[in-house]
Amino acid sequence: MNAAPMLELRDITRRFEKKLDFAGRIAQRLGAPVREEVVHAVDRVNLTVRKGEVVGLVGESGCGKSTLGRMVAGILPPTEGTILRDGRDIKALTGAEARQMKLRTQMIFQDPYASLNPRMRVQDIVGEAPRVHGLLDGAAFDDYVDEQMRRAGLDPTFKRRYPHQFSGGQRQRIGIARALAVKPDFIVCDEAVAALDVSIQAQILNLFMRLRRELDLTYLFISHDLGVVEHLSDRVVIMYLGRVVEEADTETVFRRPNHPYTRSLLDSVPRIENRKRAFSVVKGEIPSPINPPAGCHFHPRCPLATERCRVEVPKLREVAPGQRSACHLNDQ
Amino acid sequence: MNMTAPTLEVRDLKTHFFTRAGVVKAVDGVSFSVGRGKVMGLVGESGSGKSVTGFSIIGLVDPPGRIAGGSILFQGRDLAKLSEEEMRDLRGNRIAMIFQDPMMTLNPVLRIDTQMIETVLAHKKVSKEEARQRARDTLGMVGIPSPDERLKAYPHQFSGGMRQRVAIAIALLHEPQLIIADEPTTALDVTIQGQILAEVQKLCATTGTSMIWITHDLSVVAGLADDIAVMYAGRIVEKGVVGEVLDRPLHPYTHGLIGSVPSRNKRGEALRQIPGMTPSLLNLPPGCAFRSRCPRASEACLTEPLLAEILPGREARCVHPHLEAPEAA
């Protein structure tokens, strides 16, 4: 558990701004109530992932979990804050070193239909990146691709086929083979099993667990499905509207959740063990991240909200060993 | 079984698609019934024919597909034999459907009130004002705050969950006896899904509306439905009362499906998985369609098993059902 941190996010913020166009600026000059819209997709998030860990990142639509995943994978730069990989600031790295570092984090996407180029053969989808990055020479190409495909549970005789000739589950395996082909040690899975049928989902989850053992991988597993996250993760991070509201090991989050949002989220999940019972209800909608409520973002939906929650942003702090939560009620 | 006649009784329904590549038997001999005020969970994976079953009942199967056999008895009338005219009279009136994606069901360029009033007037001779009143009341019933103002809004001004509530409200306008819901909460967030499920439970209990809830999610069915039918490759492989089927599945497919649910497994251990994938409906092998993925398959499975009562009140389509005592959870 106390391995060195592989990834450290310090006060990571990502804002998306919609700048006013020319007409908008004129309208503003003339006194029209138009202004630039800013979405705080991720708002000062701190997160540490240790070597060999599986960290589950949970939240509903618009909570910023995918944006966070993209920043970790290096697809999207953060607006503010630092990302440390093996203790080194990735912004300070240059040239070949930066490229190497980037390769070591790979991402697996939700939609196995949209994330594969339909006009490329599987052998090129899997083999292109390692070839470009000089990980293998021409002669070894075929054997290398075969090995990658076999490891992901695909028959290498299909390597000259195109993505549309595969089913959803197989396509997800192609995505996995592609990600692993550049020998990463950290994988970001963004809703990687959300689009699959239950029986196929189980196959892919088992594959993730096997690969973790075989290749000593570390995962950031992003999902809205609490059942999947509970099964797979060592530690769980819950986000709501761009902020982390609770963080603890899996056991604690599911047994003794602290934050009211975590509790209502757990109550809302339909479980196969529950028969014919009244579904409990969290009131209200998820607010828009363009105009989030002041204070604690969850206060309009929280059954326990007080005056303080409406004004003051709660800090994420330790409430029990290894459990951190951002709720004012812990002060009482 | 029931003293009163069921709201809907489907007998040996066959819906086939006559494509250039061959006949696709999307639904092949499906029988079930739904009692008054009951929720029937129709469960299956992609391509199992669960949605086509729903479309067949409400008469929305497009060519090259058509109902090739069987009967759909709704209040004593056979829907499979009705003319398009008669069917239109029932659809949206006595039988309604809720679809997965509410953005596709609502017209994006018409206000909610226009769409709802139109639906009311399609089946009832009332004044426009009465129709608006009815629309307003129904929106309130499904938990939309300030329905008067929301009536004037366009679909894009609603969130996903609210849009699905509007779709449910439209389905409820004529107090139908049967609602067919095709994965209506699959695209929604968990907390919003919880709200919708609670709303639906309340409605079925108070209005006596029967419901067919089509889904791939066993956990939703566990909490919502009374009865369950599990479909595989166009056929029902197992049906019965929800609790019994989920606690003690007879068919190896149901068994495997329940085993694949992560919360049913010990954390960190490999999930019990069903090997392989669903077969193409275009050329199903003879015998049991699940044979190639089944751990219990034998020579006997080469002949198609029939849906038979294996335990009292429990039907399954299998020669090697799980009759052993259920495993300790």
Side-chain angles (χ1 to χ4, degrees):
Chain A
M1 264 288 81
N2 287 319
M6 184 168 226
L7 176 84
E8 243 185 299
L9 305 183
R10 289 195 188 148
D11 282 327
I12 286 288
T13 296
R14 175 72 211 192
R15 287 188 295 266
F16 293 101
E17 292 166 24
K18 196 179 120 198
K19 290 256 187 289
L20 287 178
D21 58 5
F22 182 62
R25 284 202 301 276
I26 291 178
Q28 196 178 33
R29 277 265 174 96
L30 296 172
V34 286
R35 54 190 186 90
E36 294 184 352
E37 283 182 348
V38 181
V39 177
H40 286 262
V42 173
D43 191 8
R44 275 167 304 177
V45 166
N46 289 288
L47 180 72
T48 307
V49 182
R50 293 189 188 81
K51 188 161 171 40
E53 231 183 352
V54 178
V55 174
L57 187 57
V58 182
E60 298 182 276
S61 325
C63 74
K65 56 189 194 299
S66 290
T67 307
L68 191 71
R70 281 165 185 269
M71 288 192 285
V72 169
I75 298 173
L76 203 67
T79 318
E80 277 162 29
T82 35
I83 300 179
L84 301 179
R85 187 75 153 78
D86 297 332
R88 305 173 67 188
D89 186 350
I90 55 162
K91 255 190 292 186
L93 299 174
T94 49
E97 230 181 354
R99 256 199 316 277
Q100 279 306 317
M101 202 55 117
K102 237 180 181 171
L103 271 188
R104 287 178 45 205
T105 308
Q106 289 298 317
M107 191 154 176
I108 295 163
F109 300 89
Q110 168 169 12
D111 190 345
Y113 296 82
S115 57
L116 301 175
N117 186 336
R119 305 178 68 165
M120 279 168 80
R121 294 180 195 278
V122 173
Q123 60 180 6
D124 297 318
I125 291 175
V126 175
E128 187 184 41
R131 188 161 52 187
V132 168
H133 290 283
L135 295 179
L136 67 158
D137 51 46
F141 182 80
D142 276 326
D143 288 343
Y144 189 76
V145 170
D146 287 1
E147 187 200 323
Q148 300 303 321
M149 285 182 70
R150 227 174 276 130
R151 193 164 60 197
L154 289 163
D155 186 347
T157 52
F158 293 156
K159 66 181 174 184
R160 293 188 52 75
R161 293 199 181 179
Y162 290 96
H164 76 263
Q165 292 169 296
F166 293 87
S167 68
Q170 284 176 315
R171 263 185 254 201
Q172 201 54 288
R173 289 178 192 269
I174 299 172
I176 293 168
R178 172 179 64 182
L180 293 177
V182 291
K183 300 183 175 142
D185 54 4
F186 189 92
I187 305 279
V188 180
C189 301
D190 188 3
E191 299 274 10
V193 293
L196 306 173
D197 272 322
V198 203
S199 69
I200 307 299
Q201 173 179 301
Q203 293 175 2
I204 300 293
L205 289 177
N206 283 345
L207 176 64
F208 278 138
M209 286 192 278
R210 199 191 77 209
L211 291 171
R212 177 196 183 187
R213 279 195 307 274
E214 282 176 11
L215 304 171
D216 203 13
L217 295 173
T218 306
Y219 287 111
L220 180 64
F221 198 88
I222 301 168
S223 180
H224 69 280
D225 188 331
L226 285 158
V228 169
V229 168
E230 180 180 12
H231 187 75
L232 209 67
S233 316
D234 302 314
R235 210 146 53 81
V236 177
V237 177
I238 316 262
M239 282 183 79
Y240 188 72
L241 280 180
R243 294 180 190 153
V244 172
V245 295
E246 182 159 3
E247 181 191 343
D249 57 88
T250 310
E251 194 74 13
T252 313
V253 165
F254 286 89
R255 291 278 151 74
R256 281 176 283 120
N258 176 279
H259 199 281
Y261 175 64
T262 315
R263 274 184 256 158
S264 43
L265 199 61
L266 291 177
D267 283 343
S268 303
V269 179
R271 291 195 164 255
I272 199 163
E273 292 82 12
N274 300 334
R275 296 296 146 64
K276 198 70 187 170
R277 51 141 217 176
F279 286 92
S280 70
V281 165
V282 197
K283 60 176 181 181
E285 300 252 303
I286 306 162
S288 154
I290 295 177
N291 226 334
C296 171
H297 284 341
F298 189 57
H299 84 255
R301 303 176 76 191
C302 183
L304 308 166
T306 63
E307 198 45 49
R308 190 180 170 201
C309 306
R310 279 180 257 281
V311 262
E312 196 185 324
V313 179
K315 282 207 172 58
L316 189 67
R317 48 185 204 81
E318 194 147 87
V319 290
Q323 183 175 24
R324 299 199 298 157
S325 170
C327 182
H328 289 313
L329 295 170
N330 291 316
D331 293 345
Q332 288 156 9
Chain B
M1 276 186 286
N2 276 328
M3 292 303 286
T4 48
T7 305
L8 179 84
E9 201 176 350
V10 177
R11 279 192 211 141
D12 201 29
L13 176 70
K14 289 186 172 128
T15 305
H16 296 176
F17 288 79
F18 300 87
T19 65
R20 220 177 280 174
V23 180
V24 178
K25 297 177 177 173
V27 177
D28 198 20
V30 163
S31 308
F32 61 88
S33 61
V34 190
R36 200 182 116 79
K38 295 280 180 195
V39 181
M40 155 92 168
L42 198 55
V43 182
E45 297 184 279
S46 324
S48 61
K50 55 189 195 302
S51 292
V52 177
T53 305
F55 287 130
S56 304
I57 295 167
I58 202 166
L60 288 178
V61 181
D62 287 325
R66 65 181 158 82
I67 296 178
S71 58
I72 305 164
L73 293 176
F74 174 70
Q75 299 180 325
R77 287 212 278 173
D78 186 358
L79 301 185
K81 295 202 174 60
L82 291 188
S83 69
E84 184 49 38
E85 201 75 0
E86 292 169 304
M87 197 62 215
R88 194 184 304 144
D89 196 42
L90 283 179
R91 198 189 294 134
N93 190 8
R94 313 268 45 103
I95 308 176
M97 189 150 182
I98 306 165
F99 300 87
Q100 177 171 356
D101 186 352
M103 204 58 214
M104 306 283 279
T105 26
L106 298 172
N107 189 329
V109 296
L110 294 180
R111 293 197 326 215
I112 298 299
D113 57 356
T114 319
Q115 303 191 42
M116 292 189 80
I117 291 168
E118 191 176 59
T119 313
V120 176
L121 294 178
H123 295 289
K124 254 196 203 116
K125 282 203 173 63
V126 290
S127 73
K128 219 167 168 190
E129 212 27 65
E130 285 172 280
R132 180 185 300 275
Q133 190 60 34
R134 174 76 194 140
R136 207 198 69 91
D137 294 346
T138 326
L139 280 189
M141 204 157 84
V142 295
I144 291 182
S146 50
D148 275 313
E149 291 151 46
R150 298 309 262 162
L151 266 177
K152 296 197 191 80
Y154 287 91
H156 74 267
Q157 294 169 303
F158 287 83
S159 66
M162 279 298 162
R163 236 178 264 152
Q164 197 57 285
R165 280 169 200 263
V166 173
I168 294 175
I170 291 177
L172 290 172
L173 278 175
H174 292 285
E175 298 169 344
Q177 270 92 37
L178 177 69
I179 296 177
I180 300 165
D182 188 6
E183 306 245 16
T185 58
T186 307
L188 304 177
D189 278 312
V190 231
T191 53
I192 308 299
Q193 167 172 286
Q195 293 172 357
I196 301 265
L197 291 176
E199 218 68 72
V200 165
Q201 265 182 335
K202 210 167 67 195
L203 287 170
C204 280
T206 52
T207 59
T209 303
S210 309
M211 192 158 224
I212 298 176
W213 193 274
I214 301 170
T215 182
H216 68 277
D217 192 339
L218 284 168
S219 327
V220 169
V221 167
L224 184 74
D226 300 288
D227 300 300
I228 184 173
V230 182
M231 286 190 74
Y232 187 78
R235 297 192 175 109
I236 289 179
V237 293
E238 176 157 10
K239 67 181 174 189
V241 177
V242 165
E244 290 178 23
V245 172
L246 294 183
D247 286 336
R248 198 180 170 188
L250 295 173
H251 198 283
Y253 176 65
T254 323
H255 202 260
L257 211 53
I258 295 171
S260 307
V261 175
S263 69
R264 266 289 159 114
N265 288 264
K266 201 151 174 270
R267 191 159 73 81
E269 275 179 17
L271 295 166
R272 276 189 284 153
Q273 61 181 46
I274 307 174
M277 49 188 178
T278 36
S280 158
L281 290 173
L282 210 50
N283 39 28
L284 277 181
C288 174
F290 188 59
R291 184 164 45 97
S292 58
R293 303 174 74 186
C294 183
R296 304 184 146 221
S298 72
E299 287 285 309
C301 302
L302 285 168
T303 45
E304 168 71 42
L306 297 172
L307 194 63
E309 190 159 12
I310 287 172
L311 292 175
R314 296 288 309 280
E315 289 175 70
R317 192 188 280 276
C318 185
V319 252
H320 304 296
H322 284 262
L323 289 172
E324 311 87 338
E327 297 160 45

